[in-house]
Amino acid sequence: MARRFSLPDALPPLRGSAATVYAILWLPLLAIALWLAVGAAWYGVADGAGDAYSWHALGINRDPGDGALIDRIAGDELRRADVRRGDRILAFDGIPMPQGATSDVQDWRIKAHLLDARGPIRLLLRRGKDQPRIVSLTRSTEHGDALMPAPG
């Protein structure tokens, strides 16, 4: 008759050097695991809340290779303002957008500005060789939802 493997009902008590080794190894690891879990939760909340203060809240998705170029739009407000894919953002509420603006620093500057902004956001846009024009847009989670619909 073969013996089956089973776990014991209880672990033997740790005493002496075994308890010391256990404490030295596991207590710092527990602290690190808790720190990482809290940090990941905070990052997720901060990043998710940040979407309300991003381009998506305006209904705009920028080109990943050239952040000053509009890649996608969503929402009636953008259509009424005649904002189209391929329009170039020259300035955002007076903040100049450098050509090929892909840096996170630029995104953080704009998010920080949106945190304090009240009322419509003014974009200075250029389409092709046309004259630049100013478009006023309102920030809304509905724009972001239309731009990035939730997965089924």
Side-chain angles (χ1 to χ4, degrees):
M1 181 175 203
R3 284 185 56 172
R4 299 176 80 186
F5 176 78
S6 64
L7 293 174
D9 291 334
L11 293 173
L14 294 176
R15 292 189 178 92
S17 62
T20 304
V21 169
Y22 178 82
I24 289 171
L25 291 176
W26 286 103
L27 289 178
L29 290 175
L30 176 64
I32 291 169
L34 289 173
W35 179 69
L36 289 173
V38 169
W42 175 256
Y43 180 79
V45 167
D47 192 45
D51 282 346
Y53 303 100
S54 74
W55 294 98
H56 294 165
L58 296 173
I60 294 173
N61 194 47
R62 297 179 304 154
D63 185 286
D66 180 354
L69 196 64
I70 295 176
D71 184 46
R72 282 187 316 160
I73 65 163
D76 292 334
E77 182 180 29
L78 288 149
R79 287 180 186 84
R80 283 192 303 270
D82 194 31
V83 176
R84 295 185 195 159
R85 183 176 188 259
D87 286 354
R88 182 164 298 281
I89 305 165
L90 302 176
F92 178 92
D93 257 359
I95 301 170
M97 288 289 293
Q99 299 302 308
T102 58
S103 74
D104 289 338
V105 173
Q106 187 71 21
D107 281 345
W108 281 109
R109 279 186 65 203
I110 288 167
K111 280 186 178 186
H113 175 75
L114 282 170
L115 283 169
D116 294 330
R118 302 289 182 251
I121 304 299
R122 293 180 335 265
L123 296 181
L124 181 62
L125 300 176
R126 172 180 279 154
R127 181 174 299 142
K129 303 265 186 212
D130 294 349
Q131 289 293 317
R133 62 193 176 93
I134 294 176
V135 175
S136 292
L137 302 173
T138 55
R139 183 176 56 220
S140 169
T141 55
E142 292 174 5
H143 294 314
D145 291 344
L147 187 65
M148 303 286 194

